[in-house]
Amino acid sequence: MKASNIGIWITCAAVAWFAWIMMDMGSPMTSSGGSSAILAINTSAEPVLVEFYADWCGPCRSVAPVVEALTLEVAGRAKVIRLDVDEEKTLAAEHGVRSIPTFIAFKNGREVGRQSGAIPKQKMLEMLGL
């Protein structure tokens, strides 16, 4: 690789990263991306709402469509992340999750709100400050 091509490589990498972010905005992150979720929480300029849930949890299943609708509604203004406590036990423990579903709102990497149970969409919006 020539030194004169470094700028091109950096530009291509930046464009690819931006495209990936834009394509990923329309759906909530799920627990398969626990480390990417932490990165989003810590680096996002937008507020972040994290739902800790489990597939076997009845209230979690009932609130899932609400979370999906919220994700589409706040795209570009906030991020919504769903983390399965069975797959992300360490993250759940680090955040003191004792019951599910638990919603935690973050701004600038800091927790600003927490609510347990199947909450309505309006409460989620309030937690995000929207």
Side-chain angles (χ1 to χ4, degrees):
M1 174 167 64
K2 295 181 182 178
S4 61
N5 292 339
I6 291 176
I8 293 170
W9 284 103
I10 291 172
T11 302
C12 288
V15 168
W17 176 78
F18 181 74
W20 175 73
I21 294 295
M22 294 307 293
M23 289 182 348
D24 197 42
M25 283 178 106
S27 61
M29 290 182 195
T30 58
S31 61
S32 61
S35 61
S36 64
I38 294 301
L39 181 63
I41 291 168
N42 291 330
T43 62
S44 179
E46 302 169 330
V48 178
L49 181 67
V50 180
E51 176 198 8
F52 289 90
Y53 76 100
D55 290 331
W56 48 263
C57 166
C60 300
R61 286 194 309 265
S62 71
V63 79
V66 177
V67 175
E68 296 290 333
L70 177 75
T71 300
L72 296 174
E73 185 178 322
V74 300
R77 298 183 294 152
K79 291 183 182 352
V80 178
I81 302 170
R82 298 186 77 220
L83 293 174
D84 187 330
V85 296
D86 291 329
E87 295 179 17
E88 301 293 346
K89 291 177 181 152
T90 303
L91 285 176
E94 287 174 2
H95 290 286
V97 174
R98 305 248 186 269
S99 64
I100 53 174
T102 292
F103 295 87
I104 304 176
F106 295 89
K107 288 186 182 168
N108 300 317
R110 293 186 176 191
E111 182 177 329
V112 295
R114 178 182 293 247
Q115 186 78 39
S116 293
I119 61 175
K121 184 168 71 168
Q122 186 57 40
K123 182 63 180 173
M124 295 176 203
L125 286 167
E126 288 174 14
M127 290 177 72
L128 287 167
L130 301 177

